[in-house]
Amino acid sequence: MKQKLRRPITLLLCVASLSWCCTLKGQTYSADVIIYGGTSGAVIAAVEVAKSGKSVIVVSPDTHLGGLSAGGLGWSDTGNKNTIGGLSREFYHRVWKKYQDKEAWKLEDKSKFGNKGQGTTAMDSINGTMWIFEPHIAEQVYEELIEENGITVYRNEWLDRANGLVKENGNIESFETLSKKRFKGKIFIDATYEGDLMASAGISYHVGREANRVYDETWNGVQVGTLHHQHWFKSDISPYKIPSDPQSGLLPRISAEPPGAYGEGDDKIQAYCFRMCMTDHPKNRVPFPKPANYDPSQYELLARMFATGRRDWFSKFDMLPNRKTDTNNHGPFSSDNIGMNYDYPDATYERRKEIVQEHKEYQMGLLYFVANDPRVPDEIRLEMQKWGLAKDEFVDNDNWPHQIYVREARRMIGDYVTTEHDVASSVDTPRSVGMGSYAMDSHNAQRYVKPDGFVQNEGDIGTHVEKPYKISYGSLIPKKNECKNLLVPVCVSSSHIAFGSIRMEPVFMILGQSAAVAACMSIDQKIAVQDLNYEDLKKVLLQKRQVLEYDN
């Protein structure tokens, strides 16, 4: 648990009927519910608060809203789509409606794309859904939801994590941002990928992988020897600068440390990357730029992998409308920047920016290397040259995604900890407020040297989930003795491997809506979020078309 709380002395000169007032430091803005974050879950939570008749302010560190859903992750990780209800499903319906307009198909004939990624094949204005989409379409939908519901959003506002939060008698009273704006509410929702408001409020949390024995799990902790997906080296490759010569030193991005014992916990987190929106359309293609500090030696291990005959480089170029991709990591050396993000969750803003920039330079150099280096096999290099960044995406950021894929950061240790037993439905999960159904999916956490002297990755897990599972309300709320007016629908209370399934964008939106409903009901009843009667909450969630249980 990380905690540092100070209460600044301020002189308030305000009029009760106003939503803001002057202070010695700046201005105070008040609403029933204050949401910190600009993610998909944050937007949906705000929409629900507004629809429930309460005032809401979104305080977003981001300029662009929607998080990963608007940041390149257009090939949605949905699992069983029947478990996605409420406003989360409405988002995908609105995306579907966007693609019914012929003007949305500027670079591809709609008939050629077909019905791929759609939940329905008929022109159903009520039930149509689209689960595959371009980043700008998703951002348009989120911005329209904000505008339609009259939601106030303050962008590029960063929580003062050291001194900004005021907490009294177990309740967050307000928090201040680095620009000296103060936000006061009755209930607060932390919908960031990092959990900064949660941590600043002194809530217990975990970073890294728990040992399997902590929650009696199988797929948590160090997973040496577990080789899932295609993200491992299938051939023996030397990790040394001079092959087979340890004295020459290790190649870049390989750890000299032992990986740890199977099943033991550590502070490592699964790798981050950018989900790239690429295109092979000549009129919309921007050639992959060469980074200013480009160093081809950073990709020597990839060249050696190609030399073994491996050729599955293009396997995760998942096609979106208009001849674009959501390109994700695939293979043992790809866009995942393994081992370079360990300090991100608790890092300062300045350090996080450095980590994000290093990831950008790594991934930009990777794309340039594959498209240009003569050590890359011709069949891959020449094909890669046909691809580039999409000129009409992320136009204010040199066509590069504005959101890094924070697959995991802090995880709250709350009222109820969701574990792999909940995900496997081997326990009766109490107080369902939504469902998940995706595989328990963790990307690699480290790259190391095996005892036989060859390189290998560790941490990648892809364990099938037999059926949809319930997510408990207790995983959205802190322990009552730590805070009584905070809900956390993104950095939820769960083990590392359970979070590997929960961490999907549709689920964050589901939980964002449920958290918002609980917030509004708690305000009406003037109670702590932990004291909310579940049967009352369940009744309202079902009225709002949330799916709380599902029988295959």
Side-chain angles (χ1 to χ4, degrees):
M1 181 177 75
K2 307 297 176 75
Q3 181 176 14
K4 186 175 182 181
L5 305 177
R6 298 179 185 174
R7 181 161 187 179
I9 299 174
T10 57
L11 175 65
L12 299 181
L13 303 170
C14 58
V15 180
S17 61
L18 298 180
S19 62
W20 63 271
C21 55
C22 298
T23 73
L24 288 177
K25 287 189 173 184
Q27 293 178 335
T28 296
Y29 303 84
S30 299
D32 292 322
V33 179
I34 304 295
I35 298 171
Y36 186 61
T39 63
S40 60
V43 174
I44 294 301
V47 171
E48 177 54 51
V49 172
K51 287 182 177 294
S52 295
K54 296 290 186 289
S55 59
V56 60
I57 295 174
V58 175
V59 184
S60 173
D62 312 300
T63 301
H64 296 271
L65 298 180
L68 260 298
S69 289
L73 204 164
W75 185 268
S76 301
D77 299 316
T78 55
N80 189 323
K81 298 177 179 62
N82 293 316
T83 64
I84 301 171
L87 292 175
S88 182
R89 194 172 192 89
E90 181 179 334
F91 167 78
Y92 296 102
H93 172 59
R94 285 174 173 250
V95 170
W96 178 85
K97 289 174 67 175
K98 290 284 186 183
Y99 284 111
Q100 303 315 301
D101 185 351
K102 64 179 182 180
E103 292 301 315
W105 298 89
K106 292 182 171 65
L107 299 169
E108 183 177 27
D109 191 293
K110 182 181 177 183
S111 63
K112 291 184 178 180
F113 189 82
N115 291 316
K116 183 169 57 177
Q118 300 188 45
T120 59
T121 57
M123 295 291 286
D124 188 336
S125 61
I126 297 175
N127 298 311
T129 51
M130 184 75 168
W131 310 91
I132 298 174
F133 46 83
E134 300 156 276
H136 76 273
I137 292 290
E139 187 169 7
Q140 286 176 13
V141 171
Y142 288 122
E143 292 290 353
E144 288 167 2
L145 285 168
I146 291 292
E147 183 177 358
E148 289 172 18
N149 290 280
I151 296 168
T152 300
V153 180
Y154 290 90
R155 303 171 195 251
N156 196 29
E157 290 290 342
W158 299 79
L159 170 68
D160 181 347
R161 292 156 58 189
N163 304 300
L165 192 137
V166 176
K167 187 177 176 185
E168 191 171 277
N169 297 323
N171 288 295
I172 301 172
E173 295 289 326
S174 65
F175 67 79
E176 188 173 84
T177 59
L178 296 180
S179 69
K180 303 303 180 183
K181 294 182 179 68
R182 182 161 290 279
F183 296 91
K184 184 176 182 180
K186 299 173 183 176
I187 299 284
F188 292 79
I189 296 176
D190 184 340
T192 62
Y193 291 124
E194 295 83 5
D196 283 342
L197 182 61
M198 171 195 72
S200 295
I203 310 304
S204 300
Y205 64 87
H206 190 87
V207 174
R209 302 180 287 187
E210 299 94 343
N212 273 327
R213 62 178 176 273
V214 174
Y215 299 116
D216 190 27
E217 295 177 301
T218 300
W219 300 109
N220 209 336
V222 177
Q223 292 288 318
V224 171
T226 303
L227 303 173
H228 286 183
H229 292 115
Q230 300 294 320
H231 303 162
W232 52 285
F233 292 96
K234 297 181 179 181
S235 301
D236 291 339
I237 300 176
S238 175
Y240 303 110
K241 294 177 181 178
I242 299 174
S244 303
D245 181 6
Q247 299 304 314
S248 65
L250 289 169
L251 292 174
R253 303 178 192 280
I254 301 175
S255 173
E257 300 298 320
Y262 178 86
E264 290 300 310
D266 60 17
D267 60 357
K268 297 178 174 63
I269 55 177
Q270 56 181 310
Y272 297 170
C273 70
F274 290 92
R275 294 288 284 255
M276 299 304 301
C277 187
M278 302 179 187
T279 184
D280 64 349
H281 196 296
K283 293 183 179 179
N284 199 38
R285 182 180 66 87
V286 177
F288 298 121
K290 182 179 181 179
N293 58 348
Y294 175 66
D295 177 8
S297 71
Q298 295 293 314
Y299 313 102
E300 172 63 26
L301 187 56
L302 177 61
R304 294 185 187 183
M305 186 199 78
F306 284 140
T308 68
R310 191 154 180 171
R311 296 291 185 270
D312 54 348
W313 175 257
F314 296 101
S315 293
K316 283 301 291 178
F317 279 47
D318 293 318
M319 295 307 300
L320 310 178
N322 288 306
R323 286 177 60 174
K324 298 175 189 174
T325 70
D326 169 0
T327 303
N328 195 8
N329 179 84
H330 180 82
F333 195 107
S334 183
S335 55
D336 277 2
N337 196 6
I338 299 171
M340 304 301 287
N341 62 344
Y342 297 156
D343 58 334
Y344 181 90
D346 280 321
T348 64
Y349 293 137
E350 291 75 16
R351 174 60 185 145
R352 283 184 187 164
K353 288 178 182 178
E354 293 174 357
I355 293 170
V356 171
Q357 180 63 26
E358 196 278 334
H359 277 66
K360 180 179 179 179
E361 291 172 358
Y362 162 76
Q363 202 162 334
M364 187 180 290
L366 175 72
L367 298 173
Y368 184 84
F369 178 87
V370 176
N372 294 279
D373 197 281
R375 289 173 293 173
V376 176
D378 288 350
E379 62 192 277
I380 294 177
R381 178 170 47 83
L382 296 177
E383 178 64 23
M384 191 67 173
Q385 291 174 6
K386 299 176 183 177
W387 293 88
L389 306 180
K391 187 186 299 183
D392 60 347
E393 298 289 350
F394 314 118
V395 294
D396 62 348
N397 198 41
D398 295 326
N399 312 118
W400 195 269
H402 43 70
Q403 175 66 58
I404 194 170
Y405 195 173
V406 179
R407 288 189 171 93
E408 185 175 8
R410 300 182 180 101
R411 286 172 282 107
M412 179 170 65
I413 303 174
D415 189 72
Y416 183 91
V417 179
T418 299
T419 71
E420 70 175 48
H421 304 293
D422 297 278
V423 177
S425 299
S426 60
V427 296
D428 186 12
T429 303
R431 299 185 291 171
S432 173
V433 291
M435 302 196 77
S437 61
Y438 201 78
M440 287 186 282
D441 179 65
S442 174
H443 283 231
N444 282 306
Q446 58 183 326
R447 180 177 289 137
Y448 69 101
V449 181
K450 297 186 296 177
D452 63 6
F454 296 111
V455 66
Q456 192 51 273
N457 295 335
E458 182 278 321
D460 189 85
I461 298 292
T463 301
H464 178 66
V465 173
E466 291 295 331
K467 61 181 181 178
Y469 60 91
K470 301 173 184 177
I471 301 172
S472 175
Y473 177 58
S475 285
L476 274 59
I477 55 177
K479 297 172 183 176
K480 190 175 180 180
N481 65 345
E482 293 188 341
C483 190
K484 295 181 285 189
N485 68 337
L486 175 69
L487 294 113
V488 184
V490 177
C491 292
V492 297
S493 177
S494 70
S495 69
H496 155 71
I497 195 58
F499 191 77
S501 175
I502 294 171
R503 64 177 183 86
M504 306 304 157
E505 290 288 295
V507 177
F508 287 154
M509 288 189 276
I510 290 168
L511 299 182
Q513 181 178 11
S514 293
V517 170
C520 295
M521 293 179 68
S522 298
I523 289 171
D524 286 339
Q525 297 177 36
K526 298 181 180 179
I527 58 174
V529 294
Q530 293 85 359
D531 294 336
L532 185 61
N533 180 275
Y534 173 67
E535 292 302 320
D536 295 338
L537 174 61
K538 177 181 177 180
K539 181 179 179 179
V540 176
L541 292 178
L542 290 175
Q543 290 172 350
K544 293 177 179 291
R545 302 180 69 181
Q546 289 281 59
V547 180
L548 306 184
E549 57 184 330
Y550 181 78
D551 188 342
N552 283 337

